[in-house]
Each structure stands twice: as structure tokens, then as C-alpha cells.
Amino acid sequence: MKKNTIICISREFGSGGREVGQQLSKKLGIPFYDKEILARVAEESDMSEEFVKNHEENAVYSHIINVPIGHRFPGVDTEEIMTPEKLFMIQAHVIHELAAENESCIFVGRCADVVLKDHENCYSFFIHSPLEERIKRIVETEHVTERQAKKMVKQTDWERSSYHNYYTKQKWGDPGNYDLMINSARTGIQKAVEIIMDYVK
């Protein structure tokens, strides 16, 4: 594998994309960044990790968080108010920092595939799976009912796609935006890992 290789994984909820990233990290011996980005974004934004977690990859955008568009705050400098756009820019900055700090690394979600698209050795992959397979996986991993799992899958996918489409102006899940699309229901997690390793090598 080339030095300074960046692997970006986008994924449908319940497709096992995060597990693919974790397994790749172990096999390649390079850092894996997903939820670990939270602490860094929280620190740089001076917000709590819980706040950042509740608003990352979320479909709430183009206005001050939880405040209607056009609302004014008498005596308050709007530059000091955290907006989704500001939070996204801080997150993008953190992703660039982490990519620069490591010879190679892996990112899951957070529009990293677009944020780092100009990186010389950046590869992007989209992990997907049929809805019924993802529902089964969420029932097993989250210990919820089939009905709850279906709702979680549809809601999370909608939030991720809306967030990605809004901030990147590229359609989430469009095959033309990725190096490879991998159906994890057909390949299994381990084979998906091997496919990505073979591709980047």
C-alpha cells in the first residue's frame, strides 16, 4: 500500500460499514477514525461531545441549531452562535488535521470522502446491503424489535443522505462518487475487507 493512503468508507445503516473500517485498521495497522473524531471536534468548537454527537451527520442545517431562521438575539453577537455550517467546517478541519498527522488512516462517514477528495491517495468506498438484511443485523446488534430496527434504518439513512447531499452537493450513494460499491450481504464483512485491501494495494 502506498504511503499517505486515505480510505474513506460511506455506509448504509446496518450494512456493517463501521466493522469493515475497524477490521481494515487491524489488518493494515493504520488508525481508524469514526466516533473518535467527536472529542477533537468538541474541543475545537468549545462544545460538549454530546452536543456534537447529536448534530453530526444530522439533517438539521441552514439555520442556528434549534432556532428558526431569521430569529434575532438582542445584544448577542451572531458570530458567537454555533450553527450547523460552522460545526461542519470545524469537523472538516479536524478531518484534514488527522489526515495530515498520519501516514495513512481510515475514516468512516462524516463526508470525509469529499472533504479529502483532493488528497493524492484517497480512496472512497460505499458499503450497502438490502433493507431486510440490514434490519436483521440491527435487530441482533441493537437488541430491538424488527419494527424498531426498520424505523432506525430508514431514519438514519435519511439523515445521512440529507446531510451529505446538503454539505457536499454530491448525491450520497451515487456509484459515480465512489471507487467501489460493495454489497456486504453478498460478500460478508471479511471479504469486503479483503476487496478494499486488494483495491488500495
Side-chain angles (χ1 to χ4, degrees), residues 68-136:
I69 296 174
H71 187 84
R72 301 297 178 190
F73 297 87
V76 176
D77 182 358
T78 55
E79 290 298 316
E80 297 178 359
I81 298 174
M82 179 57 65
T83 65
E85 286 82 0
K86 289 181 182 178
L87 200 60
F88 176 80
M89 294 305 295
I90 292 170
Q91 179 176 270
H93 177 66
V94 166
I95 289 172
H96 275 293
E97 284 184 332
L98 292 170
E101 290 171 8
N102 298 278
E103 281 197 356
S104 296
C105 57
I106 300 164
F107 291 96
V108 171
R110 295 171 178 80
C111 304
D113 57 319
V114 181
V115 171
L116 298 172
K117 65 179 181 179
D118 293 329
H119 190 284
E120 184 179 359
N121 297 314
C122 182
Y123 302 93
S124 60
F125 304 91
F126 191 88
I127 310 297
H128 63 102
S129 180
L131 178 61
E132 59 272 18
E133 294 298 326
R134 294 188 286 134
I135 290 173
K136 287 180 184 178

